Amino acid sequence: MENGVEKESGSMMFSEEELREVSGLKKGGDFVEVTCGCTSHRYGDAVGKLRIFSNGHLEIACECTPGCNEDKLSPAAFEKHSGRETARKWKNNVWLMVNGEKVSLSKTAFLKYYNQASKSANGINKSHNGRVCHRDEFVRCTGCDKERRFRLRTKEECRIHHDASADVNWKCSDLQYDRITCNIEEERASRRVYRGCPRSPTCKGCTSCVCFGCGICRFSDCNCQTCIDFIRNAKV
């Protein structure tokens, strides 16, 4: 059992009906692999191999070009890597080939283990009133020296902040989905004190809004020490 989810053989994870006519199907020890892709209006289709693990982890090996070395991307990272213009909607933008047609991942059965794992993580990481305890955080742009707000209510939002805070050269233009540019004014100091704590609107940090590691804000495909330590401890 890993992260509260019992491992299941790849051959038993999905029914024959759920796997019918899905391109690139391969069954492993505790995963199923299928062909996937994401379409950019500018760059066209980026294709890859999506692995769905029984513990809910999703991993994509990109095959957009023969020399691409991105072999352990999250779906959100694959969506961004493909150049998709309307990023941050990977469940709809990443597709599988089913009976020769592109079908959004959200319209298939392949998210059921991911959704189960997310529900378990959400249940662990909630305060007594039921709200997820991740307050808003800020990252400073290296171009304009302005701080930008990051909401951390979902796993996707946590990953975006996680990657931005780890990038020593992060700039406003990297936050493409919010259309933030260096020309936009920084939030007023009086507004920045409100960070979404469920206990107190102007909280400076407490056990209700500061998380020290959970399934939402730590990532198995990240090599930073905090993520490695969390994944290692979760497996014990």
Side-chain angles (χ1 to χ4, degrees):
M1 183 176 293
E2 184 175 340
N3 295 340
V5 180
E6 185 176 353
K7 285 189 175 182
E8 188 173 351
S9 168
S11 61
M12 303 292 291
M13 289 173 59
F14 300 97
S15 68
E16 289 301 317
E17 181 64 29
E18 290 170 331
L19 298 176
R20 193 182 307 278
E21 303 296 337
V22 178
S23 296
L25 177 63
K26 175 183 176 182
K27 300 177 183 179
D30 64 339
F31 69 87
V32 167
E33 181 180 282
V34 294
T35 298
C36 70
C38 189
T39 302
S40 162
H41 296 300
R42 181 177 181 182
Y43 302 109
D45 291 347
V47 297
K49 297 292 186 182
L50 168 66
R51 285 191 175 186
I52 305 99
F53 291 85
S54 59
N55 65 1
H57 179 60
L58 302 174
E59 182 178 285
I60 295 177
C62 184
E63 299 177 347
C64 61
T65 62
C68 183
N69 296 318
E70 299 289 354
D71 60 350
K72 291 186 178 181
L73 293 172
S74 67
F78 176 68
E79 177 191 48
K80 183 177 180 180
H81 177 71
S82 72
R84 174 76 188 194
E85 292 79 7
T86 55
R88 204 181 166 198
K89 296 182 179 179
W90 61 266
K91 293 181 182 180
N92 294 324
N93 290 336
V94 174
W95 44 260
L96 309 182
M97 293 299 296
V98 181
N99 198 22
E101 300 288 337
K102 295 177 182 177
V103 178
S104 295
L105 188 56
S106 61
K107 296 181 179 180
T108 71
F110 292 102
L111 286 178
K112 65 180 180 181
Y113 292 95
Y114 172 85
N115 291 334
Q116 289 170 6
S118 296
K119 287 180 181 179
S120 297
N122 285 338
I124 292 171
N125 193 45
K126 285 186 178 179
S127 59
H128 294 300
N129 65 5
R131 290 189 59 183
V132 177
C133 10
H134 290 95
R135 65 178 183 171
D136 296 350
E137 299 290 351
F138 291 86
V139 176
R140 187 175 297 277
C141 172
T142 57
C144 64
D145 201 38
K146 297 172 184 175
E147 285 191 322
R148 300 306 188 187
R149 181 185 294 268
F150 286 74
R151 288 174 53 87
L152 308 180
R153 303 298 185 269
T154 67
K155 191 173 183 70
E156 288 76 20
E157 289 176 341
C158 285
R159 183 57 188 259
I160 292 168
H161 169 258
H162 180 82
D163 292 347
S165 60
D167 185 355
V168 296
N169 297 312
W170 185 84
K171 298 182 292 296
C172 293
S173 57
D174 295 330
L175 207 57
Q176 297 176 1
Y177 57 85
D178 273 344
R179 298 179 182 176
I180 295 292
T181 69
C182 290
N183 295 326
I184 296 177
E185 290 297 318
E186 186 179 41
E187 280 190 30
R188 297 190 302 271
S190 59
R191 177 72 183 90
R192 290 203 301 271
V193 299
Y194 296 96
R195 299 176 66 170
C197 175
R199 184 187 64 83
S200 172
T202 58
C203 175
K204 295 182 179 180
C206 70
T207 56
S208 293
C209 64
V210 177
C211 177
F212 294 97
C214 71
I216 295 178
C217 63
R218 297 294 183 263
F219 309 93
S220 59
D221 62 338
C222 178
N223 293 322
C224 78
Q225 195 59 49
T226 55
C227 287
I228 291 173
D229 290 342
F230 174 78
I231 299 301
R232 182 185 295 120
N233 293 332
K235 291 181 179 180
V236 174

